[in-house]
Structure formats: structure tokens, C-alpha cells
Amino acid sequence: MIRLRLMIAALAGLSLSACGGDKTHDARLAKAGPNPSLAALMRVADPQIGDRKAASCKACHTFDAGGPDMAGPNLHGAYGQPMGRNRPAFGYSAALRDAGGKWDDATLDAWLKNPQAVVPRTAMMFGGISDPLNRADVIAYLRSQGR
């Protein structure tokens, strides 16, 4: 029941964070060019906007240095780290621990789009972020949360 409530809160937060408060979205997307690559999107991504768009993530994760793990691990400093290894005391799923790879731009972009496609059988219950610039903003925010 708690997991269901967390999923509902996350989905509600995603719908609010993905569209609200970003009056620069279309202009930034145009600046990235037609059919922009992830690199082009990252050049126009904004970590402050990403912080707001990560509101749905905050239903299960904390981002502050020294913050606690919740239903998901604290994500401070996760960027650039091996998948499923950033918080040794957190109970990552075996699928994520064994996936290999690092949390870089490309991996995070794919993960934020559809976690199950990146790591089948992951315990993360998240429907994904369909808008590529919204994903880039969240990635920029995660990048800003250094070690």
C-alpha cells in the first residue's frame, strides 16, 4: 500500500513538474536545433529547472549531501558512479546491481525515459519522462549534485 501511494505521488508530481513553471522550454528546445541530439539538449538544459522537474523523484529519493535513503536511494553524487553502487547500504535490486555501467548522460537519459527498458526487473516503479528536454534538465540537476 505504501509503494502504491509513493507511485501515485510520483506520477502526480511528474505531471506537475514536467509542464509547470518552465516558460523557457520551447525557446530552449528551438535553440537546441531540429531533431536535437542529447548533447545539444544538454547544452540548453538548466539544472535549476531540473530541480523543479525532479519533484516527482523526490517522492522516493533525497538529493542533499548526507540525506537519507527512502524508498529509493539518496541521489547526491550519483552522477558518474556505477549503477546500483552509489549507496552501499541501500538495498538495490539484483538486476540494477548486476547491470554494469555508470550513471552518465546517455544512461540517465535512457533510464529517465524508461527504467524497465534499461534494466529489466529493476525495482524502480517509474513510468518515465517522455519529453527529452525535461530529461536533460533532470540530468543537469543530477550533474549539479556533486560528491
Side-chain angles (χ1 to χ4, degrees):
M1 185 61 144
I2 291 172
R3 192 171 225 158
L4 178 61
R5 278 190 243 145
L6 287 172
M7 283 182 6
I8 292 168
L11 290 173
L14 178 61
S15 64
L16 292 173
S17 63
C19 60
D22 183 4
K23 296 177 180 170
T24 65
H25 180 278
D26 292 344
R28 292 185 301 124
L29 190 57
K31 188 174 181 180
N35 302 311
S37 65
L38 177 58
L41 292 168
M42 292 307 300
R43 284 192 291 274
V44 299
D46 185 320
Q48 290 179 326
I49 293 171
D51 180 13
R52 290 194 304 270
K53 291 179 181 177
S56 63
C57 307
K58 294 174 185 179
C60 297
H61 299 278
T62 58
F63 291 83
D64 298 325
D69 295 327
M70 296 181 9
N74 175 292
L75 296 177
H76 185 83
Y79 186 89
Q81 297 302 307
M83 294 172 65
R85 307 273 183 213
N86 188 51
R87 301 284 290 195
F90 184 77
Y92 294 99
S93 67
L96 188 58
R97 278 192 320 270
D98 297 342
K102 287 188 175 186
W103 292 119
D104 57 18
D105 291 350
T107 303
L108 282 165
D109 184 55
W111 178 265
L112 291 170
K113 184 176 183 180
N114 182 353
Q116 295 290 330
V118 176
V119 180
R121 298 178 315 279
T122 182
M124 177 140 161
M125 303 300 286
F126 177 65
I129 301 171
S130 61
D131 184 282
L133 182 55
N134 290 345
R135 292 193 306 270
D137 287 333
V138 172
I139 295 166
Y141 174 62
L142 288 168
R143 275 184 181 182
S144 76
Q145 301 299 301
R147 286 219 149 310

